[in-house]
Amino acid sequence: DIQMTQSPSSLSASVGDRVTITCRASQGISNYLAWYQQKPGKAPKLLIYAASTLQSGVPSRFSGSGSGTDFTLTISSLQPEDLATYYCQNYNSAPPPFGGGTKVEIK
Amino acid sequence: EVQLVESGGGLVQPGGSLRLSCAASGFTFSNHYMDWVRQAPGKGLEWVGRTRNKANSYTTEYAASVKGRFTISRDDSKKSLYLQMNSLKTEDTAVYYCVRDVRDILTGGYYMDVWGKGTTVTVSS
């Protein structure tokens, strides 16, 4: 099975900071990668699919990049409402694995 | 508005059974693959299983951790998805999410685009 490894597991940043989260696949997955945001006590929400395609309605400060085994989620200017845990997922595998999550806190 | 609403969660003893339901609205349910994803308390997301649509023979797939104990089914006429959980273990305690899949036209892959709010299952004696 493919494994997805996220780093860091948590981070703390100030409002306005640029934040980068990485996700590494244990083998090449082309661009079959999605990013989800889960706010405390809420269900996950799709942010990005196909590694870099922004889901409709998602603020443009979120962006994704990468292909193969290495991927990044970038928040260009962190906002207070971005407090959440972020998960990557390879969606073209069986089973479709999630990364362990990155908890983003606001300083 | 596209919506998924789960129900049927609760407290059950180890070895017991529970059936979760998910009511869909706001989209053509029969066209979509559907998944169940769970999240144990304080933990990350774990895919449970998937059912494909009629065009793909309603085939199902399961995580190794639930295979042989859990069964996913659907009733397109009722726009509903189900998860029958048997031989429950304490490690099945989690919030269970119903999730819609959508096909990426460019890549052909199916990603999860809409999530329900979840229903909580607690397995404890």
Side-chain angles (χ1 to χ4, degrees):
Chain A
D1 293 357
I2 294 175
Q3 312 294 325
M4 307 300 292
T5 303
Q6 283 182 239
S7 60
S9 57
S10 66
L11 65 89
S12 180
S14 299
V15 172
D17 283 354
R18 182 181 184 88
V19 170
T20 299
I21 298 168
T22 64
C23 178
R24 175 164 289 177
S26 59
Q27 63 190 75
I29 61 170
S30 185
N31 66 336
Y32 294 108
L33 187 99
W35 288 98
Y36 301 92
Q37 175 193 62
Q38 187 177 32
K39 294 184 177 181
K42 301 295 185 182
K45 170 189 171 184
L46 175 68
L47 295 178
I48 287 169
Y49 63 95
S52 60
T53 303
L54 204 64
Q55 174 71 347
S56 176
V58 173
S60 58
R61 64 180 180 273
F62 292 93
S63 64
S65 64
S67 184
T69 59
D70 294 311
F71 302 86
T72 60
L73 172 70
T74 299
I75 309 173
S76 61
S77 178
L78 189 68
Q79 298 302 304
E81 60 266 33
D82 299 334
L83 167 72
T85 300
Y86 295 84
Y87 295 92
C88 64
Q89 186 206 21
N90 166 228
Y91 54 83
N92 205 48
S93 298
F98 291 91
T102 297
K103 186 174 184 179
V104 173
E105 298 176 324
I106 311 296
K107 280 184 185 175
Chain B
E1 180 192 6
V2 174
Q3 199 169 11
L4 298 169
V5 179
E6 303 92 338
S7 60
L11 174 64
V12 60
Q13 292 188 338
S17 298
L18 206 59
R19 190 195 195 206
L20 306 184
S21 299
C22 170
S25 59
F27 65 99
T28 306
F29 178 77
S30 59
N31 287 350
H32 289 266
Y33 294 11
M34 298 293 297
D35 295 79
W36 288 98
V37 174
R38 68 184 181 183
Q39 187 170 35
K43 302 297 184 182
L45 302 171
E46 180 189 16
W47 176 79
V48 173
R50 165 180 288 170
T51 175
R52 294 182 177 83
N53 54 15
K54 182 178 181 180
N56 289 278
S57 305
Y58 297 126
T59 53
T60 54
E61 292 178 303
Y62 299 93
S65 58
V66 307
K67 195 171 185 179
R69 300 188 298 122
F70 289 12
T71 302
I72 296 174
S73 61
R74 61 191 293 165
D75 185 335
D76 289 349
S77 68
K78 295 182 178 179
K79 298 184 179 181
S80 293
L81 178 71
Y82 305 102
L83 180 64
Q84 177 67 44
M85 303 185 294
N86 298 331
S87 303
L88 281 160
K89 306 175 181 180
T90 55
E91 52 264 41
D92 294 319
T93 294
V95 175
Y96 284 75
Y97 294 103
C98 170
V99 188
R100 185 182 83 166
D101 289 338
V102 65
R103 186 170 183 265
D104 179 2
I105 293 174
L106 290 179
T107 67
Y110 286 84
Y111 60 93
M112 303 177 184
D113 73 330
V114 178
W115 296 61
K117 293 183 178 181
T119 187
T120 300
V121 172
T122 303
V123 184
S124 174
S125 55

